[in-house]
Amino acid sequence: MDRREDDENLGGGGGDIEHDGGGGGVGGYLYERRDSNASSFWDREGGAVREPLLNLRSRVNTTSQIAIVGAKVYPIESLDYEIFENELIKQDWRTRKRIEIFQYVFLKWTLALLIGLFTGVVGFFNNLAVENIAGVKLLITSNLMLKEKYYQAFAAFAGINMILAVSAAALCAFIAPAAAGSGIPEVKAYLNGVDAHSILAPSTLFVKIFGSIFGVAAGLVVGKEGPMVHTGACIANLLGQGGSRKYRLTWKWLRFFKNDRDRRDLITCGAAAGVAAAFRAPVGGVLFALEEAASWWRSALLWRTFFTTAVVAVVLRSFISFCRNGNCGLFGQGGLIMFDVNSEIPAYNTPDLLAVILIGVLGGLLGSLYNYLVDKVLRTYSFINERGPAFKILLVIAISLLTSCCAYGLPWIAQCTPCPTDSDKECPTIGRSGNYKNFQCQPGHYNDLASLFLNTNDDAIRNLFSSGNKNEFHITTLFIFFTGIYFLGIITYGIAVPSGLFIPVILAGASYGRLVGRLMGSFSSLDVGLFALLGAASFLGGTMRMTVSLCVILLELTNDLLMLPLVMLVLLISKTVADCFNKGVYDQIVKLKGLPYLEAHGEPYMRHLSAGDVCSGPLIVFSSVEKVGNIMHALTMTRHNGFPVVDEPPFVEAPELSGLVLRSHLLVLLQRKKFTKNRVLSGSELLTVFHAFDFAKPGSGKGLKVEDLDLSEEEMEMYVDLHPVTNTSPYMVADTMSLAKAAVLFRELGLRHLCVVPKTPGRPPIVGILTRHDFMPEHVLGLYPQIAHQK
Amino acid sequence: MDRREDDENLGGGGGDIEHDGGGGGVGGYLYERRDSNASSFWDREGGAVREPLLNLRSRVNTTSQIAIVGAKVYPIESLDYEIFENELIKQDWRTRKRIEIFQYVFLKWTLALLIGLFTGVVGFFNNLAVENIAGVKLLITSNLMLKEKYYQAFAAFAGINMILAVSAAALCAFIAPAAAGSGIPEVKAYLNGVDAHSILAPSTLFVKIFGSIFGVAAGLVVGKEGPMVHTGACIANLLGQGGSRKYRLTWKWLRFFKNDRDRRDLITCGAAAGVAAAFRAPVGGVLFALEEAASWWRSALLWRTFFTTAVVAVVLRSFISFCRNGNCGLFGQGGLIMFDVNSEIPAYNTPDLLAVILIGVLGGLLGSLYNYLVDKVLRTYSFINERGPAFKILLVIAISLLTSCCAYGLPWIAQCTPCPTDSDKECPTIGRSGNYKNFQCQPGHYNDLASLFLNTNDDAIRNLFSSGNKNEFHITTLFIFFTGIYFLGIITYGIAVPSGLFIPVILAGASYGRLVGRLMGSFSSLDVGLFALLGAASFLGGTMRMTVSLCVILLELTNDLLMLPLVMLVLLISKTVADCFNKGVYDQIVKLKGLPYLEAHGEPYMRHLSAGDVCSGPLIVFSSVEKVGNIMHALTMTRHNGFPVVDEPPFVEAPELSGLVLRSHLLVLLQRKKFTKNRVLSGSELLTVFHAFDFAKPGSGKGLKVEDLDLSEEEMEMYVDLHPVTNTSPYMVADTMSLAKAAVLFRELGLRHLCVVPKTPGRPPIVGILTRHDFMPEHVLGLYPQIAHQK
């Protein structure tokens, strides 16, 4: 621990390192204070900042930036959920009128309403489009098969699939690479405070909507719920930004929402609305947002989220009752309609419970294997995807072809089954939907594997959940389908198409469950449809690791509360089993993407370190009345987002920490050029020039940059008073504070910067600044490798 | 704002004032530092602590202690959810073996299992007992009525009711006064960090269980869900304490749970289990704990709570299937069985929606009126209850008589109705349950008001929710029942009987909803049973102000997900309407009881104050090696629970804040009498004598007290090193920090003490300590009345 001793004496360090991926990093840049006329505390101290820079150079935080996938694509920025307390904002609050508070509340609810409305509409449109496109495709194929033109049928089937898949891939590759994949990990990271570039941009929204439609309609083993969550979040973000600066009225009303905190709340609502729209599960949506998406939660948000999902439910219901009259083309039952599982559950006995436990354990094992394989596949694909759009599209073509071959080829293995005589359903069916696909069979027979493969994913799930006819699917059929979907699902995630994970997992789980149910046939009295549901639950628990939200989503999907205890049991078992092996799939992807996600709990070894121990990098400090040139220099040469401000003599007796100033606020301040020739306090004048909303957070990509500033040599030599834009109440910890406790503070309050102050009197008033990256295990273990060895 | 200036210069203040209600308060006590040989920083500073005491005296925080109800009964203590970081605990963590971590996790889940198990058993037992006792009572009454002995029937009915009610009241009044009322407000306050005396004691548990059974069986308009929540919390608390110190093994394993943080988690599980047991609503229970009960929440807790409620569901299911064979006496359908509302909802149209909105608005109005009246009644009753047990019992007798008169008398007004010919239910019924009570009618007729009044509350609700026969209840009947139950419910809450609020509110709401449904008959096509459900939802929303959890509880009660959008709509409307008038009923009771509940958000005026502004009371500071006599003096003369410790010369160069020491830890330290003659560091020796679990939080009422210590004069003159028991990483804020932000820190991290340190260098290292009371609006506005005027 000799290194620790060093740090304690050294008293320097602490940088806010959020470099752009392509920017080369701040690592080697050494900033020296150039304040020439003020006899600074630091100078008196003997250059504590200047001297040990060579030591510090090796300690600059870069480790947590090592992402395996996509690191070079997205510049990552932290969000700031702290309530800001600078003079301007304080003034603004003081003068805020009752009417403005009313505006705020009114607007908050209006935005929630609009998010629900738009997400509901998009969700329904998505479903409608998929049903119609896939319906036409299946109709063409089955008509050709009816004429026994089997090769033409395959050509048509595979061709349409490929065109759709390539369209989706092209959108993704050329317009918005951020739209590929599920989107839930990115939303989760955003709500944790990590803003990856253009993840919620309008182009991403556009590609997510249409890419998802094409991808699902192309018959790929992908779902629409992840993309719907991302879509909901994008819609919420766009609405929160509110048009553009052109429309002055909109902008003025929306200025209250121009901060990270309110935007986070909106996006939570959006994520909940997305789940509600994808599954028509309003309560499940709220719980999903609570359990999986959000990192911070409060009761007021619960209510607002609930309202949003209620709106989604109403919108969907209206559309469905409109479509019931046949106004929507080939829109059949869709994925929005609840699956009806037989609700008559006999009083289950011990063998049944054993079967259920078996399903849970196996589901947990298979689920964690799924996560493991997805991880491996993603790492492999990242090599291909990084080579450029053409390679991305080639990969999609390959997967699409493979999927088409499986879907069209495998049913030929299955034998034809005579139609059941007592069923009231049509058998065999030729058209778009139905349980009993004719495929190549003679009349009066059906191909059970085709009923699963040559269908939309939603219909396949509905078929698997169907109860009553126990022998509808053969054991071999279920086994082939399960194996096929399990591996297709794994290799499909990661291609450049918006792809949800829920539906593949439910499909694989339901076929696995039904398979177990068939095998158990003589032991258990439970229905095979119920087995399919439990299988789906076990897979979901094994991959996603959610509990309450999955339980409620499944119940809302199937509309049967009597199965609750069994579903709960299966979820608990499979999650417990799977947790022994690896993390949930979304956490895994967040890690893989290199997003600096802040866990709810610090690592145990953090108890042995103090906050001062992890402060790294040279510290840049501004005086409260600082020379413009110094500020410009610091802004240009570093990418730090927050700088400590220190009150120095002659304004105070001894140097003391004034607060923290943000890069974005400095830029606004410098842009107006309200400088003074001499080093004097001019804060009160500045207060009259600026309004609080001048400092509001701009929409994505619209912020000021250092390059936008154009200052003359003369101006560079002038002074500016930083008091009005300084957050005078930053949260702070002593440098001897346990790192674990500092991490709790940082995480629970959703901070972006945490000031570390010296405990011992007589030292410079600030030791360093901790940011999100300083709490990342990679960074801490990089500084103290011996801890990693001890573990 | 002249007062603020004063404070800033004064630099003193900050006391942790948690006086016992009967203790007379700390207000007037002036503590002077007696440290004679150390030239203390304070002495040098010119007695900043000593001088302005006369000023301070008037500013001591007592305002937030002014409770209207029950303040004199319960001494109130804060809980400490902070992770503790003193040397001993650090050492303990370092040496903690892998096996101990496994023990911890294993035990955590075992405790969750046991909580679920016990709460489930108690919940079922409660139901079984009520059904049997009330069943016998109703059988006796109706048999006497059949022989036309109407006066004897009334005498028997009222007599049995009174005996039961008096039993419940006697238990409450003599054994555990804390068991009266719902218990949800107290559990809510506990989870917020307020520990009222004996609220979770074994005696309270005992009285809550049996008092609730007697109270409900006595036909009082009270429910069992509030008491069940309280019961669950008590069970969790008992299990967490784990037997007593006698059983060494149990105690050793459970030592990890001997802190406020783990106990809070257990009690959250207990509260969820209570709701799950009362309504057989496992998901609803989790959401209730999340939305209403808990103040802090994290994802891991969600899972554990879910597990607990799943266990409850399984236990209840097993018991019910056991009772289905007639093994349980008069146990009929009970309150545990789901109410079956007709699930066939026609596609509703505009008039239906208007009716639903009307129900929501009226329900909100009536709900907030309910809260208002409950508040008034509680204030009135508190005068009676405070006079002693005899008065409490007299009040219960009065209410019981009134209830009996209503229940037996009002049905005579109703006219007899001929039995419906097409019903497959028995009509008229004479025995214990059934929709169609014969009462005084001739054969073939039934008295519809008696079907509601002369029944258990659960059966009455089931009757109101019953669908199909629209004319089962007359409009006048519904009106009489609604009025009766509404006011009986209001006057019953507050008597010395364990009394839940859910059932009275659901009863009143369901009758109101069914009444509206009947009145709307020709306009709306919705079923009257559905109207009753919506009415219940509107009342619940109007009084309790919960959304998601109520929605799920209602769905789990009625087992019908298709009604979800309508229920959501009604809940949102009624909550919004009611929120315009007053707070939720539980919040109101928390306030009424004077429990210092910490709201999630600070008040807006806190932005204009700083942390230093509200520090009040004289500050008592210990030196890091302190004279035993000084410590004893401070412990005896004050009731402070935390004291700042300051490192002073010769151990350091200049005085600096070492940390915070707790009263309970000091007592343990002093009890072992490891003192030194001289002022030397003896911390490392102390570390070998003590173990971390010596400082574990004892069970309720078992802690050491100052009076237990017996120190000689000689020992009083010796020194003790406080370093090992000092929390060296207390959270702190600068005295200039905005009070609003300090409040956020305090609330989000669940602190008990927050150190206020000076921002300007060269002052004493601690300005004051903020506790829960210092953030109470009453305290802040008491210090700065002009703010209250400005509002």
Side-chain angles (χ1 to χ4, degrees), chain B residues 582-651:
Chain B
N582 49 26
K583 284 172 129 190
V585 68
Y586 295 128
D587 290 320
Q588 211 170 264
I589 296 171
V590 164
K591 208 176 165 64
L592 207 64
K593 292 211 165 191
L595 302 171
Y597 189 87
L598 215 57
E599 297 289 342
H601 296 279
E603 302 284 329
Y605 55 77
M606 288 190 179
R607 299 180 76 107
H608 306 315
L609 294 171
S610 72
D613 289 344
V614 296
C615 284
S616 64
L619 180 67
I620 296 170
V621 177
F622 291 137
S623 181
S624 54
V625 181
E626 184 61 274
K627 195 183 276 184
V628 174
N630 286 352
I631 298 175
M632 279 303 288
H633 187 73
L635 291 179
T636 321
M637 301 304 290
T638 75
R639 291 174 185 278
H640 297 193
N641 274 306
F643 301 91
V645 177
V646 168
D647 273 325
E648 288 180 338
F651 304 117

Side-chain angles (χ1 to χ4, degrees), chain A residues 82 85 290 303 306 317 348 547 555-556 559 561 564 568 572 575 657 729 731 738 741 745 759, chain B residues 82 85 282 290 303 306 317 348 547 555-556 559 561 568 572 575 657 729 731 738 741 745 759:
Chain A
E82 196 184 331
E85 284 287 333
L290 167 66
W303 190 25
F306 190 60
R317 201 191 156 90
Y348 36 82
T547 50
L555 290 179
E556 289 190 285
N559 190 25
L561 278 163
L564 191 63
M568 284 173 107
L572 284 168
K575 179 177 154 69
L657 182 65
S729 298
Y731 288 106
S738 147
K741 289 186 73 176
L745 173 68
K759 187 161 190 173
Chain B
E82 196 185 330
E85 285 286 332
L290 166 66
W303 190 25
F306 191 58
R317 201 191 156 91
Y348 35 83
T547 50
L555 290 178
E556 289 191 284
N559 190 24
L561 279 162
M568 284 172 107
L572 284 168
K575 180 178 153 70
L657 182 65
S729 299
Y731 288 106
S738 145
K741 288 186 73 176
L745 173 68
K759 187 161 191 173

Side-chain angles (χ1 to χ4, degrees), chain B residues 377-394:
Chain B
V377 167
L378 275 178
R379 282 166 199 266
T380 316
Y381 281 1
S382 72
F383 291 114
I384 303 173
N385 286 335
E386 271 170 17
R387 299 200 173 185
F391 283 87
K392 285 187 183 177
I393 293 174
L394 276 179

Side-chain angles (χ1 to χ4, degrees), chain A residues 506-526:
Chain A
I506 292 179
L507 263 180
S511 50
Y512 147 78
R514 200 167 175 119
L515 179 63
V516 174
R518 283 300 305 274
L519 293 173
M520 285 284 190
S522 50
F523 294 105
S524 171
S525 55
L526 297 181

Side-chain angles (χ1 to χ4, degrees), chain B residues 137-138 141 145 150 153-159 161-162 216-221 398-414 437 439-440 447-457 460 477 480-481 483-485 488 492 507:
Chain B
K137 177 184 80 181
L138 292 172
T141 313
M145 290 208 66
Y150 296 126
F154 175 71
F157 180 72
N161 277 348
M162 198 181 296
V216 175
L220 292 171
V221 187
I399 299 293
S400 170
L401 258 182
L402 182 63
T403 310
S404 297
C405 289
C406 284
Y408 191 86
L410 288 177
W412 293 92
I413 305 173
K437 285 268 173 185
F439 204 61
Q440 93 289 16
N447 183 320
D448 56 353
L449 194 49
S451 310
L452 297 174
F453 264 128
L454 285 179
N455 236 330
T456 60
N457 294 335
T477 301
I480 295 170
F481 185 72
T483 320
I485 287 293
L488 278 177
T492 307
L507 263 180

